[in-house]
Amino acid sequence: MGQNVTLVMEFILLGFSDLPNLQGLLFGIFLVIYLSILIGNGLLMVISRIDPTLHTPMYFFLRNLSLLETCYTSVTLPRMMADLWSQKRTISLLACAVQTCFLYIFGVAECFLLTVMAYDRYVAICKPLYYSLIMNHKVCVQLVVASWMIGIPVLIEETYQIFSLNFCGPNKINHIFCDAPPLFKLACGDTYYVEVSVHVVALLFVTIPFLLILSSYVKIITTILKLPSSSGRSKAFSTCSSHLMVVCLFYGSGSIVYLQPKSSQSAESGKILALFYNTVTPMFNPMIYSLRNKDVITALRKLFSR
C-alpha cells in the first residue's frame, strides 16, 4: 500500500477562484491596496528619517513598524495578485513553507514591536523625568532587534513540523495564502500533536505580548487620571491614542480569525477575515498615525513643500 501513495509536492491556492467574473476587479482592488500600503508606510519611514523633529524613540519604533508591515503584506499580496492575473494558482511545497514561515515571523515580530511601543509610551507618561535615560538610542536598537529576532528559531521549527506532515490526499488549499489551519485539513494521519504545538507557540508569542501591552496601558491610564489638569490629561492621552488604536485593530482582527470556533467559521468568511488583518490593517495604520499626529502632518507639509 505504501507504494501506491503519492506525496503532494505542490498545492493549489483556490483563493477567490469561485468568483471567475470578478478576477480583474479583485486584481485592481488588491493593486490599489498594495500601492497604498507601500506609499503610506514608505512616507512614514522617509519623514521619520529625514525630519529632525521626529528623531525620537517613538518615531524610531514607528519607522520599524512601517517597514515590518510592508514586509508582512509583501509575503502574501504580490502572490495573490499574480494568481489573479495568471489564473495559475499552483504553489510548490517549498514556496508554501517559505510563505508560511515569513508570515509567522513578521506577525510575531509585530506583536513584540507593538509591545515595545507600549513600553515606550509607559516610560514617557509614567516616568517622564527618566525617559531620555531609559529610552536611549542603544536600548531602542536592542529592543527593535529583539522584536525582529526573538521568534525566528521557534517559528522555523514550527514551520518544519507543519510541513513534515504527510500530504497525500487533495492538494487544494481553500484559502488565499498558505496557513496552518487549512494545511492541517489536507494532511494524512494524526495532526494532533503538531496542532497543539502550534497553539502553544501562538499562546506564548501572541498572548504574552498582549498581556504586557494591557498591563502597560492600565498603568498609563491610571497615571493620566491622576494628572491635575484636563489639558494635561488630554495631551498625555493623545500621545498614545494612535498606538492604542493600532493595537486594537491588529489584535481584534487577528483574534476574530484564530479564536473563532471552527464550527462557526466558513471557508469564505475565513478568507475575508484573513484578508482584513493581512491587508486592510497595514493600510490603515499610516493613516491613523498621520491624521492623529500634528508632528507627522507638519513633517509631511515640509516634505511636499520642498
Side-chain angles (χ1 to χ4, degrees), residues 69 72-73 103-104 107 110 175-177 179 249-258 270-283:
E69 292 198 324
Y72 182 64
T73 309
L103 190 70
Y104 291 165
E110 184 160 353
H175 204 51
I176 55 177
F177 51 79
D179 199 2
L249 198 60
F250 178 76
Y251 274 97
S253 58
S255 298
I256 292 172
V257 174
Y258 289 102
K271 292 177 189 178
I272 295 172
L273 291 170
L275 189 66
F276 183 83
Y277 80 83
N278 190 255
T279 59
V280 178
T281 301
M283 182 178 67

mmCIF file of all heavy atoms in Angstrom, residues 69 72-73 103-104 107 110 175-177 179 249-258 270-283:
data_model
loop_
_atom_site.group_PDB
_atom_site.id
_atom_site.type_symbol
_atom_site.label_atom_id
_atom_site.label_comp_id
_atom_site.label_asym_id
_atom_site.label_seq_id
_atom_site.Cartn_x
_atom_site.Cartn_y
_atom_site.Cartn_z
ATOM 1 N N GLU A 69 5.358 46.107 8.530
ATOM 2 C CA GLU A 69 4.058 45.873 7.903
ATOM 3 C C GLU A 69 4.178 45.814 6.384
ATOM 4 O O GLU A 69 3.411 45.095 5.736
ATOM 5 C CB GLU A 69 3.078 46.964 8.331
ATOM 6 C CG GLU A 69 2.726 46.871 9.807
ATOM 7 C CD GLU A 69 1.477 47.635 10.145
ATOM 8 O OE1 GLU A 69 1.276 48.705 9.545
ATOM 9 O OE2 GLU A 69 0.708 47.162 11.003
ATOM 10 N N TYR A 72 5.397 42.317 5.856
ATOM 11 C CA TYR A 72 4.322 41.386 6.209
ATOM 12 C C TYR A 72 3.312 41.261 5.074
ATOM 13 O O TYR A 72 2.917 40.156 4.691
ATOM 14 C CB TYR A 72 3.645 41.904 7.485
ATOM 15 C CG TYR A 72 2.536 41.043 8.028
ATOM 16 C CD1 TYR A 72 2.789 39.761 8.493
ATOM 17 C CD2 TYR A 72 1.232 41.526 8.097
ATOM 18 C CE1 TYR A 72 1.773 38.976 9.011
ATOM 19 C CE2 TYR A 72 0.208 40.751 8.617
ATOM 20 C CZ TYR A 72 0.480 39.477 9.072
ATOM 21 O OH TYR A 72 -0.526 38.702 9.577
ATOM 22 N N THR A 73 2.938 42.395 4.504
ATOM 23 C CA THR A 73 1.974 42.383 3.402
ATOM 24 C C THR A 73 2.592 41.837 2.125
ATOM 25 O O THR A 73 1.907 41.158 1.336
ATOM 26 C CB THR A 73 1.449 43.808 3.153
ATOM 27 O OG1 THR A 73 1.001 44.368 4.385
ATOM 28 C CG2 THR A 73 0.307 43.800 2.173
ATOM 29 N N LEU A 103 5.377 34.654 7.084
ATOM 30 C CA LEU A 103 4.135 35.230 7.590
ATOM 31 C C LEU A 103 4.111 35.188 9.112
ATOM 32 O O LEU A 103 3.749 36.182 9.773
ATOM 33 C CB LEU A 103 2.948 34.443 7.021
ATOM 34 C CG LEU A 103 1.552 35.024 7.235
ATOM 35 C CD1 LEU A 103 1.354 36.282 6.409
ATOM 36 C CD2 LEU A 103 0.487 33.996 6.888
ATOM 37 N N TYR A 104 4.540 34.069 9.687
ATOM 38 C CA TYR A 104 4.553 33.932 11.144
ATOM 39 C C TYR A 104 5.658 34.778 11.772
ATOM 40 O O TYR A 104 5.458 35.395 12.824
ATOM 41 C CB TYR A 104 4.730 32.465 11.531
ATOM 42 C CG TYR A 104 3.534 31.597 11.207
ATOM 43 C CD1 TYR A 104 3.630 30.214 11.195
ATOM 44 C CD2 TYR A 104 2.305 32.158 10.889
ATOM 45 C CE1 TYR A 104 2.533 29.413 10.901
ATOM 46 C CE2 TYR A 104 1.212 31.374 10.583
ATOM 47 C CZ TYR A 104 1.328 30.012 10.588
ATOM 48 O OH TYR A 104 0.234 29.229 10.287
ATOM 49 N N GLY A 107 4.521 38.365 11.667
ATOM 50 C CA GLY A 107 3.384 38.555 12.558
ATOM 51 C C GLY A 107 3.800 38.598 14.017
ATOM 52 O O GLY A 107 3.354 39.465 14.782
ATOM 53 N N GLU A 110 5.666 41.787 14.828
ATOM 54 C CA GLU A 110 4.764 42.925 15.037
ATOM 55 C C GLU A 110 4.162 42.901 16.434
ATOM 56 O O GLU A 110 4.005 43.950 17.064
ATOM 57 C CB GLU A 110 3.662 42.932 13.979
ATOM 58 C CG GLU A 110 2.757 44.132 14.089
ATOM 59 C CD GLU A 110 1.991 44.433 12.830
ATOM 60 O OE1 GLU A 110 2.246 43.793 11.792
ATOM 61 O OE2 GLU A 110 1.129 45.340 12.863
ATOM 62 N N HIS A 175 -7.973 28.671 0.674
ATOM 63 C CA HIS A 175 -7.577 29.874 1.409
ATOM 64 C C HIS A 175 -6.870 30.799 0.422
ATOM 65 O O HIS A 175 -6.605 30.423 -0.732
ATOM 66 C CB HIS A 175 -6.667 29.504 2.581
ATOM 67 C CG HIS A 175 -6.674 30.516 3.685
ATOM 68 N ND1 HIS A 175 -7.834 30.992 4.253
ATOM 69 C CD2 HIS A 175 -5.661 31.153 4.329
ATOM 70 C CE1 HIS A 175 -7.534 31.866 5.204
ATOM 71 N NE2 HIS A 175 -6.216 31.982 5.267
ATOM 72 N N ILE A 176 -6.523 32.023 0.890
ATOM 73 C CA ILE A 176 -5.867 32.987 -0.001
ATOM 74 C C ILE A 176 -4.347 32.949 0.115
ATOM 75 O O ILE A 176 -3.653 33.531 -0.713
ATOM 76 C CB ILE A 176 -6.386 34.415 0.267
ATOM 77 C CG1 ILE A 176 -6.212 34.777 1.754
ATOM 78 C CG2 ILE A 176 -7.836 34.551 -0.148
ATOM 79 C CD1 ILE A 176 -6.624 36.194 2.091
ATOM 80 N N PHE A 177 -3.831 32.275 1.145
ATOM 81 C CA PHE A 177 -2.388 32.073 1.276
ATOM 82 C C PHE A 177 -2.151 30.844 2.132
ATOM 83 O O PHE A 177 -3.083 30.292 2.720
ATOM 84 C CB PHE A 177 -1.686 33.305 1.876
ATOM 85 C CG PHE A 177 -2.300 33.816 3.158
ATOM 86 C CD1 PHE A 177 -2.053 33.192 4.368
ATOM 87 C CD2 PHE A 177 -3.116 34.940 3.146
ATOM 88 C CE1 PHE A 177 -2.608 33.658 5.545
ATOM 89 C CE2 PHE A 177 -3.678 35.414 4.316
ATOM 90 C CZ PHE A 177 -3.429 34.783 5.521
ATOM 91 N N ASP A 179 -1.381 28.739 5.191
ATOM 92 C CA ASP A 179 -1.516 28.932 6.625
ATOM 93 C C ASP A 179 -1.749 27.570 7.267
ATOM 94 O O ASP A 179 -2.210 26.634 6.601
ATOM 95 C CB ASP A 179 -2.669 29.891 6.917
ATOM 96 C CG ASP A 179 -2.585 30.491 8.309
ATOM 97 O OD1 ASP A 179 -1.609 30.195 9.035
ATOM 98 O OD2 ASP A 179 -3.483 31.276 8.683
ATOM 99 N N LEU A 249 -6.838 47.309 16.471
ATOM 100 C CA LEU A 249 -7.106 46.865 15.100
ATOM 101 C C LEU A 249 -6.377 45.561 14.802
ATOM 102 O O LEU A 249 -6.944 44.623 14.243
ATOM 103 C CB LEU A 249 -6.671 47.960 14.118
ATOM 104 C CG LEU A 249 -7.237 47.908 12.699
ATOM 105 C CD1 LEU A 249 -8.750 48.003 12.716
ATOM 106 C CD2 LEU A 249 -6.650 49.035 11.858
ATOM 107 N N PHE A 250 -5.096 45.488 15.202
ATOM 108 C CA PHE A 250 -4.272 44.312 14.907
ATOM 109 C C PHE A 250 -4.749 43.093 15.688
ATOM 110 O O PHE A 250 -5.008 42.023 15.116
ATOM 111 C CB PHE A 250 -2.810 44.617 15.237
ATOM 112 C CG PHE A 250 -1.876 43.464 15.010
ATOM 113 C CD1 PHE A 250 -1.477 43.106 13.738
ATOM 114 C CD2 PHE A 250 -1.382 42.742 16.087
ATOM 115 C CE1 PHE A 250 -0.614 42.043 13.527
ATOM 116 C CE2 PHE A 250 -0.518 41.676 15.891
ATOM 117 C CZ PHE A 250 -0.129 41.333 14.607
ATOM 118 N N TYR A 251 -4.884 43.240 17.003
ATOM 119 C CA TYR A 251 -5.270 42.096 17.830
ATOM 120 C C TYR A 251 -6.741 41.746 17.653
ATOM 121 O O TYR A 251 -7.113 40.564 17.721
ATOM 122 C CB TYR A 251 -4.965 42.387 19.304
ATOM 123 C CG TYR A 251 -3.555 42.052 19.699
ATOM 124 C CD1 TYR A 251 -2.578 43.030 19.738
ATOM 125 C CD2 TYR A 251 -3.194 40.752 20.026
ATOM 126 C CE1 TYR A 251 -1.270 42.728 20.097
ATOM 127 C CE2 TYR A 251 -1.894 40.437 20.385
ATOM 128 C CZ TYR A 251 -0.938 41.427 20.422
ATOM 129 O OH TYR A 251 0.356 41.122 20.770
ATOM 130 N N GLY A 252 -7.581 42.752 17.423
ATOM 131 C CA GLY A 252 -9.000 42.482 17.242
ATOM 132 C C GLY A 252 -9.269 41.643 16.009
ATOM 133 O O GLY A 252 -9.963 40.624 16.071
ATOM 134 N N SER A 253 -8.687 42.043 14.869
ATOM 135 C CA SER A 253 -8.904 41.301 13.627
ATOM 136 C C SER A 253 -8.263 39.923 13.684
ATOM 137 O O SER A 253 -8.839 38.935 13.225
ATOM 138 C CB SER A 253 -8.352 42.096 12.437
ATOM 139 O OG SER A 253 -6.970 42.365 12.601
ATOM 140 N N GLY A 254 -7.060 39.829 14.271
ATOM 141 C CA GLY A 254 -6.394 38.534 14.388
ATOM 142 C C GLY A 254 -7.138 37.570 15.300
ATOM 143 O O GLY A 254 -7.226 36.371 15.026
ATOM 144 N N SER A 255 -7.707 38.102 16.384
ATOM 145 C CA SER A 255 -8.439 37.251 17.328
ATOM 146 C C SER A 255 -9.702 36.688 16.698
ATOM 147 O O SER A 255 -10.071 35.530 16.935
ATOM 148 C CB SER A 255 -8.806 38.058 18.581
ATOM 149 O OG SER A 255 -7.647 38.515 19.239
ATOM 150 N N ILE A 256 -10.376 37.505 15.876
ATOM 151 C CA ILE A 256 -11.597 37.035 15.218
ATOM 152 C C ILE A 256 -11.281 35.842 14.308
ATOM 153 O O ILE A 256 -12.037 34.878 14.220
ATOM 154 C CB ILE A 256 -12.247 38.174 14.413
ATOM 155 C CG1 ILE A 256 -12.794 39.240 15.369
ATOM 156 C CG2 ILE A 256 -13.370 37.642 13.536
ATOM 157 C CD1 ILE A 256 -13.288 40.483 14.678
ATOM 158 N N VAL A 257 -10.123 35.902 13.650
ATOM 159 C CA VAL A 257 -9.742 34.837 12.720
ATOM 160 C C VAL A 257 -9.354 33.564 13.448
ATOM 161 O O VAL A 257 -9.847 32.470 13.143
ATOM 162 C CB VAL A 257 -8.572 35.300 11.819
ATOM 163 C CG1 VAL A 257 -8.078 34.146 10.946
ATOM 164 C CG2 VAL A 257 -9.010 36.455 10.940
ATOM 165 N N TYR A 258 -8.461 33.683 14.460
ATOM 166 C CA TYR A 258 -7.851 32.495 15.043
ATOM 167 C C TYR A 258 -8.560 31.971 16.292
ATOM 168 O O TYR A 258 -8.346 30.829 16.686
ATOM 169 C CB TYR A 258 -6.383 32.765 15.362
ATOM 170 C CG TYR A 258 -5.533 32.865 14.121
ATOM 171 C CD1 TYR A 258 -5.128 34.102 13.630
ATOM 172 C CD2 TYR A 258 -5.163 31.734 13.414
ATOM 173 C CE1 TYR A 258 -4.354 34.200 12.471
ATOM 174 C CE2 TYR A 258 -4.400 31.814 12.258
ATOM 175 C CZ TYR A 258 -3.998 33.048 11.795
ATOM 176 O OH TYR A 258 -3.245 33.142 10.642
ATOM 177 N N GLY A 270 -13.524 32.970 6.491
ATOM 178 C CA GLY A 270 -12.115 32.912 6.899
ATOM 179 C C GLY A 270 -11.217 33.663 5.944
ATOM 180 O O GLY A 270 -10.281 34.344 6.360
ATOM 181 N N LYS A 271 -11.506 33.563 4.643
ATOM 182 C CA LYS A 271 -10.721 34.290 3.640
ATOM 183 C C LYS A 271 -10.861 35.798 3.821
ATOM 184 O O LYS A 271 -9.876 36.544 3.777
ATOM 185 C CB LYS A 271 -11.179 33.905 2.233
ATOM 186 C CG LYS A 271 -10.880 32.483 1.822
ATOM 187 C CD LYS A 271 -11.449 32.217 0.434
ATOM 188 C CE LYS A 271 -11.380 30.743 0.062
ATOM 189 N NZ LYS A 271 -11.977 30.489 -1.268
ATOM 190 N N ILE A 272 -12.092 36.242 4.018
ATOM 191 C CA ILE A 272 -12.342 37.682 4.152
ATOM 192 C C ILE A 272 -11.684 38.232 5.403
ATOM 193 O O ILE A 272 -11.057 39.293 5.382
ATOM 194 C CB ILE A 272 -13.863 37.951 4.160
ATOM 195 C CG1 ILE A 272 -14.458 37.577 2.802
ATOM 196 C CG2 ILE A 272 -14.152 39.411 4.478
ATOM 197 C CD1 ILE A 272 -15.970 37.613 2.757
ATOM 198 N N LEU A 273 -11.809 37.510 6.521
ATOM 199 C CA LEU A 273 -11.206 37.960 7.771
ATOM 200 C C LEU A 273 -9.683 37.962 7.685
ATOM 201 O O LEU A 273 -9.019 38.883 8.162
ATOM 202 C CB LEU A 273 -11.670 37.071 8.929
ATOM 203 C CG LEU A 273 -13.150 37.201 9.310
ATOM 204 C CD1 LEU A 273 -13.537 36.107 10.293
ATOM 205 C CD2 LEU A 273 -13.423 38.567 9.907
ATOM 206 N N ALA A 274 -9.109 36.915 7.053
ATOM 207 C CA ALA A 274 -7.663 36.865 6.876
ATOM 208 C C ALA A 274 -7.194 38.012 5.991
ATOM 209 O O ALA A 274 -6.138 38.620 6.231
ATOM 210 C CB ALA A 274 -7.249 35.529 6.271
ATOM 211 N N LEU A 275 -7.972 38.331 4.970
ATOM 212 C CA LEU A 275 -7.643 39.438 4.079
ATOM 213 C C LEU A 275 -7.673 40.752 4.838
ATOM 214 O O LEU A 275 -6.844 41.644 4.605
ATOM 215 C CB LEU A 275 -8.635 39.480 2.911
ATOM 216 C CG LEU A 275 -8.326 40.433 1.770
ATOM 217 C CD1 LEU A 275 -7.064 40.010 1.039
ATOM 218 C CD2 LEU A 275 -9.502 40.502 0.811
ATOM 219 N N PHE A 276 -8.596 40.862 5.790
ATOM 220 C CA PHE A 276 -8.730 42.100 6.560
ATOM 221 C C PHE A 276 -7.481 42.369 7.396
ATOM 222 O O PHE A 276 -6.888 43.439 7.315
ATOM 223 C CB PHE A 276 -9.968 42.018 7.460
ATOM 224 C CG PHE A 276 -10.220 43.277 8.246
ATOM 225 C CD1 PHE A 276 -10.879 44.344 7.674
ATOM 226 C CD2 PHE A 276 -9.787 43.391 9.555
ATOM 227 C CE1 PHE A 276 -11.113 45.506 8.389
ATOM 228 C CE2 PHE A 276 -10.007 44.548 10.288
ATOM 229 C CZ PHE A 276 -10.675 45.609 9.703
ATOM 230 N N TYR A 277 -7.057 41.381 8.212
ATOM 231 C CA TYR A 277 -5.921 41.645 9.087
ATOM 232 C C TYR A 277 -4.588 41.629 8.334
ATOM 233 O O TYR A 277 -3.594 42.185 8.801
ATOM 234 C CB TYR A 277 -5.889 40.672 10.278
ATOM 235 C CG TYR A 277 -5.332 39.303 10.001
ATOM 236 C CD1 TYR A 277 -3.964 39.059 10.002
ATOM 237 C CD2 TYR A 277 -6.171 38.215 9.788
ATOM 238 C CE1 TYR A 277 -3.453 37.797 9.758
ATOM 239 C CE2 TYR A 277 -5.675 36.953 9.556
ATOM 240 C CZ TYR A 277 -4.312 36.759 9.548
ATOM 241 O OH TYR A 277 -3.808 35.508 9.307
ATOM 242 N N ASN A 278 -4.571 40.990 7.147
ATOM 243 C CA ASN A 278 -3.325 40.903 6.395
ATOM 244 C C ASN A 278 -3.098 42.095 5.478
ATOM 245 O O ASN A 278 -1.947 42.389 5.131
ATOM 246 C CB ASN A 278 -3.316 39.611 5.581
ATOM 247 C CG ASN A 278 -1.974 39.313 4.968
ATOM 248 O OD1 ASN A 278 -1.774 39.481 3.774
ATOM 249 N ND2 ASN A 278 -1.036 38.876 5.798
ATOM 250 N N THR A 279 -4.164 42.780 5.068
ATOM 251 C CA THR A 279 -4.015 43.889 4.110
ATOM 252 C C THR A 279 -4.644 45.191 4.582
ATOM 253 O O THR A 279 -4.022 46.252 4.489
ATOM 254 C CB THR A 279 -4.644 43.509 2.756
ATOM 255 O OG1 THR A 279 -6.034 43.217 2.941
ATOM 256 C CG2 THR A 279 -3.962 42.309 2.146
ATOM 257 N N VAL A 280 -5.868 45.118 5.086
ATOM 258 C CA VAL A 280 -6.566 46.347 5.455
ATOM 259 C C VAL A 280 -5.912 47.022 6.662
ATOM 260 O O VAL A 280 -5.740 48.246 6.691
ATOM 261 C CB VAL A 280 -8.057 46.056 5.738
ATOM 262 C CG1 VAL A 280 -8.788 47.328 6.164
ATOM 263 C CG2 VAL A 280 -8.719 45.472 4.496
ATOM 264 N N THR A 281 -5.526 46.225 7.665
ATOM 265 C CA THR A 281 -4.886 46.795 8.855
ATOM 266 C C THR A 281 -3.580 47.519 8.526
ATOM 267 O O THR A 281 -3.386 48.659 8.955
ATOM 268 C CB THR A 281 -4.638 45.684 9.901
ATOM 269 O OG1 THR A 281 -5.888 45.082 10.251
ATOM 270 C CG2 THR A 281 -3.989 46.251 11.149
ATOM 271 N N PRO A 282 -2.649 46.922 7.764
ATOM 272 C CA PRO A 282 -1.435 47.676 7.390
ATOM 273 C C PRO A 282 -1.719 48.917 6.546
ATOM 274 O O PRO A 282 -0.920 49.855 6.550
ATOM 275 C CB PRO A 282 -0.626 46.647 6.579
ATOM 276 C CG PRO A 282 -1.100 45.324 7.057
ATOM 277 C CD PRO A 282 -2.556 45.514 7.341
ATOM 278 N N MET A 283 -2.841 48.941 5.830
ATOM 279 C CA MET A 283 -3.185 50.117 5.033
ATOM 280 C C MET A 283 -3.683 51.252 5.921
ATOM 281 O O MET A 283 -3.412 52.434 5.666
ATOM 282 C CB MET A 283 -4.243 49.748 3.996
ATOM 283 C CG MET A 283 -4.637 50.886 3.072
ATOM 284 S SD MET A 283 -5.852 50.399 1.820
ATOM 285 C CE MET A 283 -7.278 50.070 2.857
#
